[in-house]
């Protein structure tokens, strides 16, 4: 809790009036997942991602996704050295504890696919050689809605690798007033000092794994996931990977609430952020709405 509180306080020095969103953004970090920030331009997606990365005393890299970005620009490339007559692997920006993928849907599907193995297995394969990524490994991606010009929709296989998908939303009046009055007199770039170490983040992940989940709560998570697959409104429901991510997120949220055990409200709280982007509505390319998720929970009785 000390680690999470310190990181949240650091992030909130630059992300004003978004305490709940900051806490939600910390869920994948302490649960070993990845975060997708999806919202309109200019609401602070990149600011939140950068602040999270800088608040940890770990390696951090930022990749600006563009239409001409290539997989090698992310993963790295083997370079021939004439002096030795051998190839040497030059690591790409993916080799960092915290990787910010800014405007990820502006790159082509071929480039986006470079993240699939890295996000799932924490490793990459180049020319038949496998390279392990550092631990912890946390991807924070931002994207604009796919209707905007110059963007590509993320394939379902990539969406399924993001534990949480969330928006930022517009700030309230008081928060926006502070932004308007403080921003012009501060440095435009973000420069935060680390408030947590890599080991502290790893310890937080261990604490999340120790949160108690009773058999009844496990059945509740499983029943929700299976209900999304049988719902007639959905073409694709929550995958087994999604059910695993939901269970991890629920444990992390319970820990943030100061509990060492999970209750049904934790599942209901996390489900929209973990499941919505994984569900595909029939006849539409859009994910499930919060009302859709609520409808599923009406079919799944909560354990006493």
């Amino acid at each position: 809790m000390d680690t999470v509180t310190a990181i949240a306080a650091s992030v909130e020095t630059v992300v004003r009036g978004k305490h709940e969103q900051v806490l939600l953004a910390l869920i994948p970090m302490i649960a070993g997942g990845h975060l997708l920030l999806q919202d309109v331009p200019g609401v602070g997606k990149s600011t939140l991602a950068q602040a999270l990365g800088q608040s940890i005393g770990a390696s951090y890299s930022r990749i600006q996704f563009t239409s001409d970005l290539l997989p090698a620009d992310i993963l790295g490339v083997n370079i021939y050295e004439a002096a030795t007559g051998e190839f040497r692997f030059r690591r790409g920006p993916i080799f960092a504890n915290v990787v910010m993928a800014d405007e990820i849907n502006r790159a082509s599907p071929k480039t986006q696919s470079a993240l699939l193995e890295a996000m799932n297995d924490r490793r990459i394969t180049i020319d038949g050689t496998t390279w392990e990524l550092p631990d912890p490994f946390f991807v924070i991606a931002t994207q604009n809605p796919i209707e905007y010009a110059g963007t590509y929709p993320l394939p379902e296989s990539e969406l399924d690798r993001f534990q949480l998908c969330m928006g930022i939303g517009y700030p309230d009046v008081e928060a926006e007033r502070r932004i308007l009055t403080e921003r012009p007199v501060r440095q435009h770039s973000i420069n935060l000092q680390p408030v947590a170490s890599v080991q502290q983040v790893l310890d937080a992940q261990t604490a999340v794994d120790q949160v108690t989940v009773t058999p009844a709560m496990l059945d509740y998570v499983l029943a929700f996931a299976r209900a999304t697959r049988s719902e007639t409104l959905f073409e694709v429901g929550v995958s087994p990977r999604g059910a695993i991510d939901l269970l991890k997120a629920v444990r992390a949220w319970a820990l943030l609430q100061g509990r060492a055990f999970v209750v049904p409200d934790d599942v209901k709280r996390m489900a929209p952020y973990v499941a919505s982007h994984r569900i595909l509505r029939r006849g539409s390319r859009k994910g499930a709405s919060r009302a859709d998720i609520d409808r599923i929970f009406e079919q799944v009785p909560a354990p006493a």
Side-chain angles (χ1 to χ4, degrees), residues 1 4 23-24 26-27 30 251-259:
M1 286 300 297
V4 173
L23 287 182
L24 289 170
L26 288 171
I27 295 291
I30 65 174
R251 279 183 155 131
W253 182 254
L255 192 67
L256 292 183
Q257 306 309 304
R259 284 184 277 102

Side-chain angles (χ1 to χ4, degrees), residues 5 8-9 12 15-26 253:
T5 301
E12 289 185 71
V15 180
R16 302 293 190 182
K18 295 295 177 182
H19 178 70
E20 183 176 359
Q21 285 80 358
V22 170
L23 287 182
L24 289 170
L26 288 171
W253 182 254

Side-chain angles (χ1 to χ4, degrees), residues 3 55-58 194-202:
T3 299
S55 296
I56 303 173
V195 296
S197 66
V198 170
Q199 187 57 51
Q200 286 176 307
V201 175
L202 292 174

Side-chain angles (χ1 to χ4, degrees), residues 209-236:
D209 292 337
Q210 294 173 349
V211 172
T212 300
V213 178
T214 64
M217 289 305 309
L218 185 62
D219 289 342
Y220 190 45
V221 172
L222 181 61
F224 169 78
R226 296 186 67 84
T228 64
R229 301 166 196 166
S230 60
E231 171 59 51
T232 57
L233 292 176
F234 303 152
E235 185 174 343
V236 176

Side-chain angles (χ1 to χ4, degrees), residues 34-38 143 159 162-167 272-274 276-277:
H34 307 289
L35 173 65
L36 178 62
L37 298 173
Q38 180 175 274
Q143 74 163 354
L159 285 172
F162 285 102
Q163 184 178 33
L164 258 70
C165 177
M166 54 176 280
Y273 302 103
V274 178
S276 295
H277 62 288

Side-chain angles (χ1 to χ4, degrees), residues 25-79:
L26 288 171
I27 295 291
M29 179 179 291
I30 65 174
H34 307 289
L35 173 65
L36 178 62
L37 298 173
Q38 180 175 274
D39 214 323
V40 296
V43 295
K45 300 186 301 297
S46 298
T47 301
L48 174 58
Q50 189 174 354
L52 280 172
Q54 292 185 1
S55 296
I56 303 173
S59 55
Y60 168 75
S61 66
R62 177 183 181 274
I63 308 171
Q64 180 63 55
F65 279 63
T66 58
S67 59
D68 59 349
L69 192 72
L70 298 175
D73 297 327
I74 300 173
L75 305 179
V77 64
N78 284 313
I79 299 176

Side-chain angles (χ1 to χ4, degrees), residues 103-138:
E103 295 188 303
I104 188 173
N105 59 333
R106 291 200 179 278
S108 67
K110 177 182 179 180
T111 301
Q112 291 179 21
S113 67
L115 293 174
L116 296 181
E117 183 183 11
M119 294 175 65
N120 191 65
D121 301 327
R122 268 59 171 181
R123 65 187 182 189
I124 63 169
T125 303
I126 302 292
D127 295 337
T129 301
T130 299
W131 300 84
E132 299 294 331
L133 296 175
D135 188 25
F137 177 68
F138 177 41

Side-chain angles (χ1 to χ4, degrees), residues 138-161:
F138 177 41
V139 174
I140 316 170
T142 70
Q143 74 163 354
N144 299 325
I146 61 174
E147 292 82 2
Y148 280 69
T151 61
Y152 299 85
L154 269 63
E156 287 75 13
S157 58
E158 187 173 3
L159 285 172
D160 198 43
R161 283 165 169 78

